[in-house]
Amino acid sequence: GRRLAYNLTDVCIKAGNFSEAEHYYENFIGLAPNDSGRFELQYKMAKKRGEPVETLIGILQEYKKEEIEDMWAYELARLYHKAGMGEACVSACDEIILWFGEGEYVEKAMELKMLYMPLSPSQQEKYNRRFKPVFAAKGACPRGNYNRTNTKAASISIYRNV
């Protein structure tokens, strides 16, 4: 079905076989004309072909009108940054932080926003808290039980999350 057509399109794009990718993409659209995966495939194909950043932005802006996942919203913010569209980048980062609340792409959006301006106080608080659960979950450096092993484990945990 549609998942197979999506996956075949994706594989052909990665292989650089655009005629086959377009064939499978048309099959995918025929099976699922309203599936938001069409934007992902359009974007991947345009990017692999080396289309201009403005084209890539246009695809993701259309995707955003329907629904968008945090990864693709961040990719749009990153493209705004790449195109020198600072205001649009900051706005997109603020939306990611608001809509998705937490996670890898929220942290990346905060860091991208900080290239242009400081985070709001609530955003800064959230950004500062991003590693606290790691210490609590790992039990690293509990009060009264400090030693090199716990410190090393905590450091490793932090770097895995960056």
Side-chain angles (χ1 to χ4, degrees), residues 69-96:
E69 296 173 21
D70 57 352
M71 179 184 85
W72 294 106
Y74 176 74
E75 181 68 7
L76 179 58
R78 198 185 64 73
L79 289 173
Y80 286 143
H81 170 68
K82 186 176 179 180
M85 302 168 67
E87 265 184 53
C89 177
V90 168
S91 178
C93 289
D94 281 337
E95 288 176 356
I96 293 165

Side-chain angles (χ1 to χ4, degrees), residues 114-126:
M114 285 189 285
L115 295 176
Y116 292 94
M117 64 187 307
L119 299 173
S120 72
S122 64
Q123 291 170 343
Q124 186 65 53
E125 182 181 328
K126 183 183 290 192

Side-chain angles (χ1 to χ4, degrees), residues 19-81:
S19 62
E20 287 291 315
E22 288 173 8
H23 169 75
Y24 290 120
Y25 177 76
E26 292 303 323
N27 287 338
F28 174 75
I29 294 300
L31 293 167
N34 297 319
D35 190 305
S36 60
R38 71 187 185 279
F39 297 111
E40 296 169 14
L41 294 172
Q42 287 173 5
Y43 178 83
K44 289 175 180 181
M45 196 172 318
K47 185 173 181 178
K48 185 77 171 183
R49 284 184 168 158
E51 299 278 341
V53 70
E54 295 79 15
T55 301
L56 301 175
I57 288 171
I59 293 167
L60 292 182
Q61 284 173 333
E62 288 300 312
Y63 189 2
K64 184 179 163 189
K65 288 178 186 176
E66 290 192 17
E67 89 178 85
I68 197 164
E69 296 173 21
D70 57 352
M71 179 184 85
W72 294 106
Y74 176 74
E75 181 68 7
L76 179 58
R78 198 185 64 73
L79 289 173
Y80 286 143
H81 170 68

Side-chain angles (χ1 to χ4, degrees), residues 122-136:
S122 64
Q123 291 170 343
Q124 186 65 53
E125 182 181 328
K126 183 183 290 192
Y127 185 75
N128 292 344
R129 285 193 324 249
R130 71 195 184 285
F131 293 124
K132 286 189 181 180
V134 171
F135 286 112

